[in-house]
Amino acid sequence: MEIPDTHPTPPGQQATKPQGSEAPPVLAFDVEAVLDMLDQNQELAKVVVQSAIDDLSQQITDLAQSIDAGDWATAKRTAHTMKGLSAQVGAMALHQKVIQMHLRLRDGAEIAIDEIADLRDRYDNFSTGAVAWLGSAGAATDC
């Protein structure tokens, strides 16, 4: 499943270009997608995104531990959870990678532990953009 890039990359954010593809880059953090999903409720979006920063980091750790232990059922459940949460909070590059991992796990394939580094990089790009947006969104609403 390919995630279309409907928004240009804002300054200070990194985008990820799908491997082996001529498709445009996918945003690390798509704030417009979050706001659209939450009916432009910026206060709710801030709460959801802040919570997801911590949750996604923990889920990556949990996924790495289950892969390392060969616990594929837990890895599949964790990837499924990450797939939904990453889409909900606009972590589109992370979401794209998690979809690939979840589909492979669902089909009975194993995931190499070294793939976690790419997942972590995508998370780091998301959290950098999200934290920057949270700072600017807070400043804009505190006036």
Side-chain angles (χ1 to χ4, degrees):
M1 176 178 175
E2 188 170 314
I3 308 296
D5 179 25
T6 57
H7 306 286
T9 304
Q13 289 191 33
Q14 295 181 9
T16 302
K17 185 157 182 109
Q19 291 181 343
S21 170
E22 294 302 317
V26 177
L27 285 177
F29 177 54
D30 187 347
V31 68
E32 294 302 322
V34 177
L35 290 170
D36 286 348
M37 190 174 301
L38 298 174
D39 293 328
Q40 303 302 314
N41 185 331
Q42 190 166 351
E43 292 304 313
L44 179 57
K46 289 189 312 187
V47 170
V48 169
V49 168
Q50 182 61 57
S51 176
I53 291 170
D54 295 333
D55 291 348
L56 284 168
S57 180
Q58 183 59 53
Q59 289 172 357
I60 291 170
T61 299
D62 294 346
L63 182 61
Q65 290 172 345
S66 59
I67 290 170
D68 196 40
D71 183 353
W72 304 113
T74 300
K76 184 174 103 176
R77 279 192 307 274
T78 303
H80 179 79
T81 301
M82 289 178 67
K83 183 176 70 166
L85 182 56
S86 60
Q88 188 176 44
V89 297
M92 304 317 292
L94 177 64
H95 179 69
Q96 184 179 57
K97 180 65 176 180
V98 172
I99 286 172
Q100 295 167 4
M101 294 175 85
H102 181 256
L103 289 173
R104 289 181 12 233
L105 287 163
R106 185 193 68 189
D107 292 343
E110 295 181 359
I111 303 294
I113 193 66
D114 62 349
E115 290 188 60
I116 294 297
D118 181 36
L119 212 55
R120 179 61 65 185
D121 287 343
R122 290 170 187 245
Y123 166 80
D124 290 344
N125 291 336
F126 156 72
S127 65
T128 298
V131 167
W133 176 75
L134 286 167
S136 67
T141 58
D142 290 343
C143 295

